[in-house]
C-alpha cells in the first residue's frame, strides 16, 4: 500500500482472537494488533477497531469458571471486562503514542437519523484529533446484540457509516471453507466471493466454532458492507501482520468483492 494514500480501515476482532483457550487475555496478540494498527495510523490512514472481548475478559477477571448464561450476568461481565479491555488497549496503543477513544453504542442508534449524525460527527472529530476509535456494543443496554453476539454486524454498520475503504474481520478460522473444516479434512478455503449466493450462506451456516457469532454473522456483515461498496476480508486473527498483506491486495483469508 502506498504510504501517503489515506484509507479508512475498519478492523473487527473477536473474543476468540483476544483470549487464550483458558479464557485469559492473549496479551501478545493484543500487543501485536495494537502495533500494526498504530503503524497503519502513522502511515496516515484512518483506523477504527471494533473489538469484542468485554464479556470474556470480564467473567475471567471475576474468577468465574464459565461465561454467564443470563442476560444480566452477561451485561455485568461486559461492564467489568470493558474497562479492562480499554485499559489494555490504552496501554498498548499508548506505547506507540497513539490516543484511543471508546465508542459504545447499539444498532438502534443507527436507525435514528440524529443518532447516525452524532456518530458520524464524533468519528470525524476523532479522526481529526488523530485518535483511533475503539467500538463495542453498549452491552448493558443491548439485549438484541448480546443474545446474537453480533459485533460482526456492528462492524459492517460502522464501515458503512464512515464510508470505509475496507472492512477486515479477524476471527479464529482462516476464512470461509466450502465445507466445515472441523468435520471434513478436504475442506477448501474459498479465496474470493464475488457474490453472496444462498450456497455461500448455507456453507457459512454450518461453520464457525468458538466465536459467539460464528460464520453466518460474518457473511451477513459482508453482505451489508459489499452492498454499500465496501470490500470485506475475513481471516485468521492469529497473525495481525497479515493486515498489511490484505491492504496490499495479497490473497489472505476470504475476500468478499464489493458491488
Ligand atoms: N459485545 C460483546 C463483548 O464485548 C461481544 C459480542 C460479540 O461477540 O460479537 O464481549
Amino acid at each position: 500500500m502506498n504510504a501517503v494514500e489515506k484509507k479508512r480501515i475498519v478492523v473487527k476482532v473477536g473474543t476468540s482472537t483476544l483470549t487464550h483457550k483458558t479464557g485469559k487475555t492473549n496479551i501478545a496478540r493484543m500487543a501485536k494488533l495494537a502495533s500494526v494498527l498504530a503503524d497503519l495510523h502513522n502511515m496516515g490512514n484512518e483506523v477504527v477497531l471494533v473489538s469484542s472481548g468485554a464479556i470474556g475478559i470480564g467473567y475471567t477477571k471475576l474468577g468465574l469458571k464459565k461465561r454467564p448464561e443470563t442476560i444480566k450476568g452477561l451485561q455485568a461481565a461486559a461492564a467489568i471486562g470493558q474497562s479492562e479491555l480499554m485499559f489494555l488497549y490504552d496501554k498498548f496503543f499508548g506505547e506507540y503514542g497513539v490516543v484511543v477513544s471508546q465508542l459504545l453504542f447499539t444498532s438502534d442508534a443507527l436507525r435514528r437519523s440524529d443518532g447516525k449524525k452524532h456518530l458520524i460527527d464524533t468519528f470525524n472529530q476523532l479522526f481529526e484529533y488523530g485518535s483511533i476509535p475503539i467500538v463495542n456494543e453498549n452491552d448493558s443496554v443491548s439485549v438484541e446484540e448480546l443474545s446474537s453476539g453480533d459485533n460482526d454486524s456492528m462492524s459492517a454498520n460502522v464501515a458503512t457509516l464512515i464510508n470505509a475503504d475496507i472492512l477486515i474481520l479477524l476471527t479464529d478460522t482462516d476464512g470461509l471453507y466450502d465445507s466445515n473444516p472441523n468435520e471434513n479434512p478436504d475442506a477448501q478455503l474459498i479465496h474470493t466471493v464475488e457474490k453472496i449466493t444462498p450456497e455461500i450462506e448455507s456453507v457459512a451456516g454450518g461453520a464457525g466454532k468458538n466465536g459467539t457469532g460464528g460464520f453466518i454473522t460474518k457473511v451477513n456483515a459482508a453482505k451489508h458492507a459489499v452492498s454499500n461498496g465496501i470490500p470485506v476480508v475475513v481471516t485468521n486473527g492469529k497473525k495481525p501482520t497479515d493486515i498489511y498483506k490484505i491492504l496490499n491486495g495479497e490473497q489472505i483469508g476470504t475476500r468478499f468483492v464489493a458491488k
Side-chain angles (χ1 to χ4, degrees), residues 95-111:
E95 281 174 17
Y96 305 104
V98 173
V99 175
V100 294
S101 41
Q102 172 185 260
L103 277 86
L104 299 178
F105 55 93
T106 52
S107 48
D108 61 71
L110 299 168
R111 290 194 277 267

Side-chain angles (χ1 to χ4, degrees), residues 15 51-55 136-137 139 149-151 212:
T15 306
S51 178
S52 299
I55 297 170
N136 197 356
E137 297 139 356
D139 287 328
D150 207 359
N151 254 347
T212 36

Side-chain angles (χ1 to χ4, degrees), residues 43-63:
M43 289 178 193
N45 298 292
E46 290 170 337
V47 180
V48 175
L49 176 61
V50 177
S51 178
S52 299
I55 297 170
I57 290 177
Y59 82 76
T60 316
K61 189 173 186 180
L62 274 176

Side-chain angles (χ1 to χ4, degrees), residues 106-165:
T106 52
S107 48
D108 61 71
L110 299 168
R111 290 194 277 267
R112 297 191 327 259
S113 60
D114 61 329
K116 235 169 135 166
K117 182 191 174 301
H118 291 312
L119 276 169
I120 294 173
D121 286 349
T122 308
F123 274 111
N124 283 335
Q125 187 65 61
L126 288 168
F127 291 140
E128 219 171 282
Y129 283 153
S131 175
I132 293 190
I134 301 182
V135 176
N136 197 356
E137 297 139 356
N138 189 346
D139 287 328
S140 49
V141 293
S142 86
V143 174
E144 185 190 327
E145 281 132 346
L146 254 190
S147 47
S148 64
D150 207 359
N151 254 347
D152 295 328
S153 105
M154 175 64 104
S155 67
N157 283 332
V158 168
T160 305
L161 187 77
I162 64 166
N163 203 8
D165 293 292

Side-chain angles (χ1 to χ4, degrees), residues 1-79:
M1 188 181 61
N2 184 338
V4 292
E5 186 196 340
K6 180 165 96 177
K7 284 204 161 113
R8 279 200 170 172
I9 303 161
V10 177
V11 175
K12 185 257 165 178
V13 63
T15 306
S16 57
T17 300
L18 297 174
T19 54
H20 288 290
K21 289 204 173 63
T22 56
K24 296 205 171 166
T25 314
N26 188 330
I27 295 169
R29 178 83 50 78
M30 260 187 117
K32 190 79 215 164
L33 178 64
S35 80
V36 170
L37 299 184
D39 197 32
L40 291 171
H41 169 85
N42 284 356
M43 289 178 193
N45 298 292
E46 290 170 337
V47 180
V48 175
L49 176 61
V50 177
S51 178
S52 299
I55 297 170
I57 290 177
Y59 82 76
T60 316
K61 189 173 186 180
L62 274 176
L64 303 179
K65 295 268 175 303
K66 59 183 181 68
R67 201 180 149 91
E69 276 160 16
T70 60
I71 292 289
K72 62 186 177 187
L74 292 169
Q75 288 173 318

